[in-house]
Amino acid sequence: MSANVKQKRTLLEWVRGYTGQKYITTVLFLLIPIVLLTLFTLIPAVNMVIFSFQERDQLGVNPKWIGLDNYVTLFTDPTYLSTFKNCIYYFFGSFIQLALALLIATILCSKIKFGNLFKGILFFPYMMNGVAVSLIFRRFFQKGDGITNSEGTLNTILALFGLDPVKWLSTPGLVNVCLVFASIWRYIGFDIIMFIGAIQSISPDVYEAADLDGANGWQRFWYIVFPSIRSIVALQLVLAIKGAASVFEIPYIITGGRNDTSTFVIKTIDTAFVYKKVGLGSAMAIVLLLIILIITGIQKLCFRERK
Amino acid sequence: MAENKHYFDLKDYTFKETPKSVRILFQVLKYAFLVVCCLVVIIPLIIVLFGSLKTHDEYIQSNVFALPAVPQFSNYVTAFNQGNVLRGLFNTMIILVISCFGTIITGTMTAFVVQRFNMMFTKVVKAIFLIVALLPSISMQVTVFQIVNKLGLYDNMAAPIIMYIGTDIIAIQIFIQFLDNISVSLDESAILDGCSYPRVYWSIILPMLRPAIATVLVIKFVGIYNDFYTAQLYMPSPKNAVVSTALYTFVGPYGAKWEIIFAGIIICIIPTLVIFLALQKSIYSNLVSGSVKE
Amino acid sequence: MKLKKIMAGVLSVATALSFAGCNSNDNPGNSSNSSNSSSSSSSSSTSSGNSTSDNSTSSTTVDNPIDNETQSVRDNFFDASKITDGLTLKVLTHRTDLCNDSQLLQEWTKEFEEKFNCKVEYQGFTKYSGDVTTMMSTDNYGDVLMIPDQVKLMDLSNFFEPLGDYATLNERYFWMDQKMYDNVVYGIPHMGAVSGGLCYNKRIWSEAGVTEIPKTPEDFVAALKKIKDQFDGEVIPYYTNFNTGWALAQIIDMSVAVSGNSNIQNDILTSKRDLFVEGEDYYNTMKLMFDIFKETDIHEEDPMTGDWEGSKPAINAGKIATMIMGSWAVSQFQEAGDNPQDIGYMPAPFTKDGKQYAQSTSDYALGINVHSDEAVKELGKAYIDWFVNDSPYISYNKGVSPVRGAEMPDYLEAFSDCEFFVAAPAPEGLVGVWDAINNDSEIGLYNDDAANFKIRMAEAAFKNDEATFKAIIDECNKKWAETRDANEDYNAYMATLS
């Protein structure tokens, strides 16, 4: 009896004590998130791995185990991996996007009139529906023929400056630049907001001191702002690179991957859903995942060294 | 601290005497740059607005910058009536409110445990959340769908709600990042005063996370409000239509008219704009405060 | 953060758009037209190949002898006594315009609802086949639905209720082998069309002085040039609709149609011929496409930003002279403006032994969910019976009725000298082989994925790059031959022949 009581007390104490509390809180707080994560992400992910070793169609009626065949196909037939080449455009685009976002964020964080207005306008495209954005940009880059449609927005602007209209989306090479532009247009607002958040999380005291010392904008940015937000810049950069590797929505909706604008993810979708090779498509998704993991690994290494 | 020291070193070398003319030039450049950026953003949108007010023939024939001869609000009426937009707005509201609430509760709890407790288990969970954020989810759709169906949630508003709550790893990351900037000393002093961990979470962490919550709310709102696919796939019934699926019926294979689609886009944007404008101030002011309050 | 966005994007569009081709411009008739020809290894009614041609000229009434003779097929199709009162029937459809926008489907269905004292609920899908295929990984995919082309014939019985045996249903309906396996029919095409022709503006063509419909590719290109000379800068002689992707698949439809051979696919397979042989049908039509596309002044200036929706009123108003489309597009072009009388439909400009050919093909087939309740299934059969026989749907859409001997749409007058045929079914053992080769080789005759050969050919044509065109032809032939020779079913079948 007394042993029991004692044990109860210890249990109770343990629960009340901070170690016990830690464990119980952990379990309680993480229960729902982990269940949801398992259901909607982990199980499908495991299935994806399984599928990549199978030959199966979309309905999965009679899946067949074929070992590594899907991966062999992927790495021997150049039609699959060669689609990564257009990602280079987006890769460079993401640098421009980040640099631009950082510049804008820094300017917006300095003393400026109408700051909120500028911020709001620049952030706004991010809030728009992807399909809407793609429709807008098809209109934007349209080369009108004067018969079925009028000149698009960009060519109309060119005409204001007395320049000849350009077939933006039909010119190889140029078309990818246009798509990168649309991508930057859509996503830059979010980067700006993230950077502003990071910059403003720096103590206002530091700014005040800097202002008292008369630091100019560039010094202020380079010596105060940048070091403090370096980690978030690195994070955004890595995310942007990964985004470039897995770019999809903008080219898919605006050009449908035509005129040499296809990307690896578009190829993956075509393989999995147009050609119903869900197994091969899963293998492609796994390859993409591995590439992304490698980039993350490299980033982790570099980042550690710099520290 | 190291950063501060670096800065204090700096002050001795700062060029205090930047010429005034250069400063003014910088000011002008700054504004010019911002104005150009904003024009780039606004012009395509203006085209949508103009287009939505034109007749069909006008849309096809007139210059994109030409103002509509007679503004055609009938496009909006058509978009509003036929697109089932009212029900869409209502359903979207319900889904938004519940899943935002859910995401914030589960997200902050997860971030709290994962960031503050330095245990093996929480480290593993944190790593899983970080890795999972990298998964390309294209191929997972078939299996996700089967799971939703097995839970009996197919064609039910609960399906997207649960998925929006369950798969928002980005929100958790934002909370974790934000918590990194909140000093542990506050928790410690509270614990010295005898607070339990749930209590620390509720009374100290949660209020401090307010700015991050505001940020997550905006991201969440944008994501859900504009998400077409989840709604279309998991609740196809017209009675469960959300704004984007309601509007998407216009982009269908037959008789899609751009001026009406543009009107639809504008209708779709207006609530976003209103909520964004309302939340904007709170986000921007809260982002700074609360991060360092020692 | 960007990754998340992209993932969300992937989520949001992956399955949803993947079958759709280009964004808003999902093509209503195409997927189904192509389904027909692409799976026409399983195609239709050998015996009555030409029966439609008579009707096409003589637009007679619905009340004809065939209808009465085969009335018994209707009577035995479903058992009305099994249908209880107050049932609800869920119907999945690709016609979002008719069930969401105009509500015409609901209106037409009132008659049916009253007759069987039931309620019919429609669900429209903009990206029909993609969304519904995903739904079909569960049991919950409506009661009556258009059978998506993703379902293989041999899997039909896992998903769909048998509707009857082939021999019986074939008496009354065309295309009964479309969704058939082991002589059991699982779906009845809800409508049909004429494929492999061209929509054109009759007024423009005649004002340009082209009075006779061209019978050879050379004449056709010459006619387009004539239109260009006559109306330079005011009329686009030929509109490619290249950026929709699916519009190019219409050219494959034309390949089958101009062959005049209801066995063309089987012939190509069993003779071990290449897919594209110079001087033969598939090559000829692709070459015609190349020859039109390379003349930059007879088609739209910037094909990448073409506009399918904008092209409809334009052809109606005479700003576009010609487009290659199935006959399903005729009604859309007629409705797109004030000049419906100007829209005509002409056979493909190819002549074989002095004859021009056209193919009549089926659209999506209506099937019944095998997991529905028995009474609902019976009601579903009644619905299908009503839909193809009595509903105003087919005449509203100016389609070809699946019912043998029904009235043909009136825009086919230019086809009076043209012979119609219906593709023959593949012999047993070769069923599905054409599709399998087409798919496994990733040639995708009817697909519009970004790397599709048709799209690359068109891009080569725009640059007038004939070498690339030839290279793509060779590449396709090689892939085709390799995949064919690796196909087990094919080899097994060929072994039985020799």
Side-chain angles (χ1 to χ4, degrees):
Chain A
M1 191 66 183
S2 70
N4 251 355
V5 170
K6 200 185 169 195
Q7 212 181 346
K8 262 187 187 164
R9 217 172 258 162
T10 0
L11 189 67
L12 210 64
E13 273 167 17
W14 183 79
V15 168
R16 289 221 174 120
Y18 281 97
T19 325
Q21 254 193 43
K22 228 180 210 177
Y23 284 104
I24 289 170
T25 314
T26 305
V27 170
L28 280 180
F29 276 24
L30 288 184
L31 188 66
I32 294 174
I34 286 185
V35 167
L36 292 179
L37 182 78
T38 311
L39 271 180
F40 294 111
T41 312
L42 294 185
I43 294 177
V46 169
N47 276 330
M48 187 171 80
V49 176
I50 295 171
F51 289 178
S52 79
F53 297 107
Q54 289 179 335
E55 185 186 316
R56 64 184 289 144
D57 63 13
Q58 223 172 347
L59 300 170
V61 178
N62 284 315
K64 210 163 74 187
W65 290 93
I66 53 166
L68 285 171
D69 279 10
N70 285 327
Y71 292 94
V72 173
T73 315
L74 264 189
F75 286 101
T76 50
D77 188 340
T79 50
Y80 297 99
L81 291 184
S82 67
T83 46
F84 270 118
K85 72 174 193 299
N86 283 330
C87 298
I88 295 167
Y89 289 95
Y90 296 88
F91 179 71
F92 286 113
S94 59
F95 279 100
I96 295 170
Q97 179 178 332
L98 283 179
L100 214 58
L102 199 50
L103 179 60
I104 294 171
T106 315
I107 293 176
L108 287 176
C109 286
S110 65
K111 273 184 196 146
I112 194 153
K113 279 181 184 163
F114 311 117
N116 274 343
L117 180 70
F118 287 128
K119 214 185 297 178
I121 292 173
L122 290 167
F123 181 66
F124 197 67
Y126 175 70
M127 306 191 74
M128 292 179 56
N129 187 299
V131 179
V133 171
S134 80
L135 290 174
I136 291 170
F137 274 94
R138 272 167 64 176
R139 184 68 182 138
F140 189 78
F141 289 121
Q142 197 155 41
K143 167 78 187 74
D145 51 25
I147 297 174
T148 57
N149 50 34
S150 57
E151 207 62 78
T153 313
L154 194 49
N155 279 335
T156 312
I157 296 171
L158 285 186
L160 288 181
F161 294 99
L163 297 169
D164 286 337
V166 177
K167 294 182 192 176
W168 296 101
L169 298 182
S170 289
T171 312
L174 191 60
V175 55
N176 279 309
V177 176
C178 292
L179 296 181
V180 171
F181 177 81
S183 169
I184 294 177
W185 187 89
R186 183 172 179 205
Y187 293 124
I188 196 170
F190 191 83
D191 289 346
I192 294 173
I193 293 303
M194 288 301 284
F195 285 139
I196 289 178
I199 293 170
Q200 292 188 337
S201 69
I202 303 167
S203 162
D205 303 347
V206 182
Y207 288 120
E208 274 166 33
D211 285 344
L212 283 177
D213 295 326
N216 71 21
W218 171 249
Q219 292 160 341
R220 199 175 136 135
F221 172 75
W222 189 248
Y223 294 105
I224 302 171
V225 176
F226 192 70
S228 325
I229 61 166
R230 197 193 284 150
S231 65
I232 198 151
V233 172
L235 179 75
Q236 295 286 49
L237 189 66
V238 170
L239 285 174
I241 295 171
K242 290 169 194 157
S246 48
V247 69
F248 160 70
E249 197 180 42
I250 294 273
Y252 194 79
I253 297 182
I254 298 183
T255 63
R258 279 180 272 287
N259 201 11
D260 201 18
T261 56
S262 184
T263 66
F264 187 71
V265 177
I266 292 183
K267 184 74 186 165
T268 306
I269 288 166
D270 282 344
T271 308
F273 295 111
V274 177
Y275 290 103
K276 304 158 205 164
K277 298 177 180 176
V278 171
L280 188 57
S282 298
M284 293 175 81
I286 299 271
V287 167
L288 183 63
L289 172 64
L290 289 180
I291 290 170
I292 286 170
L293 284 179
I294 290 168
I295 296 172
T296 314
I298 293 172
Q299 172 244 344
K300 284 264 154 69
L301 276 178
C302 293
F303 202 50
R304 207 168 281 164
E305 269 171 24
R306 209 188 285 167
K307 269 189 176 172
Chain B
M1 220 50 207
E3 228 88 274
N4 274 351
K5 202 176 175 206
H6 180 54
Y7 156 72
F8 282 122
D9 287 342
L10 167 79
K11 95 179 163 186
D12 304 327
Y13 304 98
T14 326
F15 320 123
K16 290 184 180 175
E17 324 73 26
T18 316
K20 203 164 189 187
S21 57
V22 175
R23 282 197 177 189
I24 290 170
L25 180 71
F26 268 115
Q27 287 295 318
V28 172
L29 277 180
K30 216 157 79 171
Y31 282 101
F33 176 69
L34 284 181
V35 168
V36 169
C37 288
C38 288
L39 278 181
V40 171
V41 168
I42 287 175
I43 286 174
L45 296 176
I46 293 285
I47 302 305
V48 175
L49 183 64
F50 285 4
S52 70
L53 294 170
K54 292 180 180 176
T55 65
H56 188 64
D57 290 339
E58 215 180 350
Y59 174 82
I60 286 179
Q61 283 151 13
S62 68
N63 184 307
V64 285
F65 291 112
L67 283 167
V70 185
Q72 300 290 313
F73 291 100
S74 59
N75 291 333
Y76 288 85
V77 177
T78 314
F80 203 81
N81 289 342
Q82 295 193 358
N84 207 7
V85 177
L86 210 56
R87 176 178 285 279
L89 279 169
F90 180 72
N91 287 342
T92 308
M93 275 261 288
I94 292 176
I95 292 174
L96 263 173
V97 169
I98 300 177
S99 40
C100 281
F101 181 77
T103 305
I104 283 158
I105 294 297
T106 58
T108 48
M109 289 199 311
T110 312
F112 169 68
V113 169
V114 165
Q115 203 272 340
R116 286 298 201 249
F117 297 166
N118 208 6
M119 295 188 296
M120 199 57 192
F121 179 66
T122 53
K123 276 183 185 166
V124 169
V125 171
K126 190 176 176 182
I128 291 176
F129 273 113
L130 288 176
I131 292 172
V132 152
L134 307 173
L135 286 176
S137 355
I138 333 146
S139 322
M140 296 202 255
Q141 275 320 294
V142 175
T143 34
V144 171
F145 187 86
Q146 283 165 338
I147 288 164
V148 168
N149 189 60
K150 277 191 190 128
L151 294 173
L153 295 177
Y154 176 68
D155 210 6
N156 186 322
M157 294 226 295
I161 291 175
I162 287 194
M163 287 177 60
Y164 289 138
I165 297 174
T167 53
D168 199 346
I169 291 143
I170 298 300
I172 294 173
Q173 283 183 343
I174 289 175
F175 290 133
I176 291 178
Q177 262 168 32
F178 206 84
L179 274 179
D180 285 339
N181 285 330
I182 298 180
S183 166
V184 193
S185 58
L186 262 187
D187 308 22
E188 280 164 357
S189 64
I191 285 167
L192 284 179
D193 292 346
C195 269
S196 64
Y197 276 119
R199 177 97 205 180
V200 170
Y201 161 76
W202 187 253
S203 324
I204 296 172
I205 301 296
L206 206 54
M208 280 201 153
L209 278 174
R210 247 187 341 215
I213 290 173
T215 312
V216 168
L217 272 178
V218 171
I219 298 170
K220 203 77 191 155
F221 171 81
V222 174
I224 295 175
Y225 192 81
N226 291 331
D227 183 15
F228 161 73
Y229 176 75
T230 312
Q232 170 78 356
L233 183 62
Y234 294 101
M235 4 174 255
S237 298
K239 70 175 182 348
N240 286 331
V242 297
V243 173
S244 54
T245 45
L247 285 174
Y248 203 78
T249 49
F250 292 116
V251 196
Y254 297 88
K257 297 213 167 120
W258 282 58
E259 66 281 2
I260 293 176
I261 294 174
F262 279 179
I265 291 173
I266 299 282
I267 294 179
C268 196
I269 284 175
I270 289 171
T272 323
L273 189 62
V274 170
I275 290 176
F276 174 62
L277 289 178
L279 266 178
Q280 195 188 21
K281 271 194 178 145
S282 92
I283 297 165
Y284 299 146
S285 60
N286 285 339
L287 270 176
V288 193
S289 70
S291 56
V292 190
K293 272 187 186 168
E294 295 200 354
Chain C
M1 216 49 48
K2 187 161 178 193
L3 183 72
K4 160 74 179 174
K5 283 167 247 152
I6 282 165
M7 278 164 52
V10 166
L11 282 170
S12 65
V13 204
T15 8
L17 302 196
S18 53
F19 304 94
C22 193
N23 143 35
S24 62
N25 300 333
D26 196 7
N27 163 26
N30 178 57
S31 66
S32 25
N33 280 342
S34 57
S35 91
N36 162 67
S37 328
S38 69
S39 61
S40 64
S41 32
S42 65
S43 278
S44 181
S45 67
T46 26
S47 56
S48 60
N50 297 333
S51 69
T52 34
S53 65
D54 309 335
N55 296 306
S56 72
T57 47
S58 67
S59 315
T60 44
T61 70
V62 187
D63 183 27
N64 70 43
I66 300 173
D67 196 54
N68 298 331
E69 263 171 40
T70 57
Q71 182 62 35
S72 65
V73 177
R74 279 193 79 175
D75 297 341
N76 296 327
F77 187 66
F78 65 95
D79 183 355
S81 67
K82 283 193 195 156
I83 301 172
T84 48
D85 273 4
L87 291 173
T88 302
L89 189 74
K90 266 194 180 176
V91 180
L92 312 187
T93 173
H94 61 304
R95 292 297 298 265
T96 47
D97 62 323
L98 295 183
C99 75
N100 294 353
D101 304 350
S102 69
Q103 309 256 325
L104 270 177
L105 270 177
Q106 285 89 335
E107 218 163 277
W108 292 332
T109 313
K110 275 183 192 141
E111 164 198 24
F112 175 79
E113 286 176 326
E114 270 165 31
K115 188 169 169 194
F116 291 96
N117 193 11
C118 63
K119 208 175 148 7
V120 179
E121 275 177 15
Y122 287 98
Q123 278 181 21
F125 292 84
T126 322
K127 308 296 173 198
Y128 185 82
S129 64
D131 290 349
V132 172
T133 310
T134 314
M135 286 167 72
M136 284 177 61
S137 53
T138 73
D139 294 348
N140 202 338
Y141 46 94
D143 300 311
V144 172
L145 63 156
M146 309 283 174
I147 300 179
D149 305 329
Q150 274 79 3
V151 185
K152 288 183 189 151
L153 296 178
M154 59 184 196
D155 299 333
L156 280 172
S157 61
N158 297 332
F159 301 102
F160 297 99
E161 181 75 1
L163 298 179
D165 69 284
Y166 173 72
T168 317
L169 290 174
N170 190 44
E171 281 174 34
R172 184 173 173 86
Y173 302 109
F174 291 122
W175 308 304
M176 275 308 99
D177 59 335
Q178 278 299 295
K179 297 294 170 197
M180 172 194 88
Y181 193 72
D182 269 348
N183 283 316
V184 178
V185 173
Y186 294 92
I188 296 181
H190 78 287
M191 190 170 86
V194 175
S195 79
L198 296 120
C199 293
Y200 70 117
N201 188 300
K202 292 189 273 189
R203 181 174 62 83
I204 295 297
W205 273 63
S206 70
E207 280 177 17
V210 190
T211 44
E212 204 150 301
I213 283 171
K215 293 193 152 80
T216 65
E218 295 76 31
D219 289 351
F220 183 72
V221 175
L224 293 180
K225 284 187 173 159
K226 217 169 171 181
I227 294 168
K228 191 240 149 197
D229 292 340
Q230 179 78 20
F231 297 100
D232 197 12
E234 290 165 43
V235 175
I236 300 170
Y238 183 93
Y239 202 76
T240 66
N241 267 315
F242 165 74
N243 77 327
T244 65
W246 55 258
L248 299 184
Q250 310 292 320
I251 293 160
I252 303 297
D253 278 336
M254 187 185 266
S255 312
V256 179
V258 302
S259 75
N261 177 356
S262 51
N263 274 310
I264 177 169
Q265 294 176 344
N266 302 333
D267 287 352
I268 289 178
L269 284 181
T270 49
S271 66
K272 284 210 166 212
R273 255 180 304 169
D274 275 339
L275 184 58
F276 299 104
V277 182
E278 228 173 309
E280 287 186 18
D281 311 303
Y282 278 96
Y283 181 91
N284 288 349
T285 44
M286 292 317 292
K287 186 70 173 60
L288 172 64
M289 177 188 92
F290 184 87
D291 288 341
I292 298 171
F293 284 20
K294 78 175 182 196
E295 305 280 347
T296 44
D297 53 355
I298 60 174
H299 60 73
E300 73 265 35
E301 211 177 319
D302 183 14
M304 275 304 287
T305 55
D307 179 1
W308 161 237
E309 293 305 333
S311 74
K312 294 182 202 172
I315 194 171
N316 187 296
K319 290 175 179 175
I320 289 172
T322 325
M323 280 193 256
I324 177 167
M325 288 288 154
S327 70
W328 54 266
V330 171
S331 61
Q332 296 190 30
F333 293 157
Q334 288 179 335
E335 281 161 25
D338 302 330
N339 311 299
Q341 73 287 348
D342 286 351
I343 304 297
Y345 195 63
M346 67 162 95
F350 288 91
T351 310
K352 243 185 189 176
D353 307 324
K355 245 187 191 164
Q356 279 180 293
Y357 292 90
Q359 190 190 13
S360 68
T361 57
S362 67
D363 205 319
Y364 276 126
L366 284 164
I368 296 172
N369 185 344
V370 74
H371 305 289
S372 295
D373 294 337
E374 285 309 316
V376 175
K377 282 183 192 170
E378 216 56 36
L379 181 65
K381 284 184 186 173
Y383 175 84
I384 293 177
D385 175 75
W386 166 80
F387 193 95
V388 296
N389 288 289
D390 302 330
S391 84
Y393 181 95
I394 293 166
S395 62
Y396 175 85
N397 288 292
K398 306 218 159 101
V400 177
S401 170
V403 180
R404 291 181 188 280
E407 190 177 1
M408 286 292 273
D410 53 11
Y411 51 77
L412 293 173
E413 82 255 14
F415 286 71
S416 49
D417 299 329
C418 192
E419 187 166 315
F420 281 81
F421 69 96
V422 182
E428 214 163 313
L430 216 49
V431 172
V433 170
W434 176 275
D435 284 349
I437 298 172
N438 180 37
N439 189 65
D440 293 348
S441 62
E442 295 190 20
I443 285 178
L445 286 171
Y446 289 94
N447 294 341
D448 52 22
D449 53 303
N452 194 277
F453 75 97
K454 300 189 296 291
I455 287 162
R456 288 184 288 134
M457 278 179 185
E459 283 162 10
F462 293 138
K463 291 181 238 165
N464 198 1
D465 180 357
E466 193 149 357
T468 306
F469 174 76
K470 290 257 159 67
I472 297 168
I473 291 275
D474 291 342
E475 177 201 318
C476 288
N477 281 337
K478 187 166 159 264
K479 269 193 194 165
W480 180 270
E482 277 172 8
T483 318
R484 177 193 62 203
D485 294 339
N487 188 298
E488 289 166 17
D489 291 339
Y490 175 75
N491 289 328
Y493 178 78
M494 293 305 279
T496 61
L497 283 190
S498 56

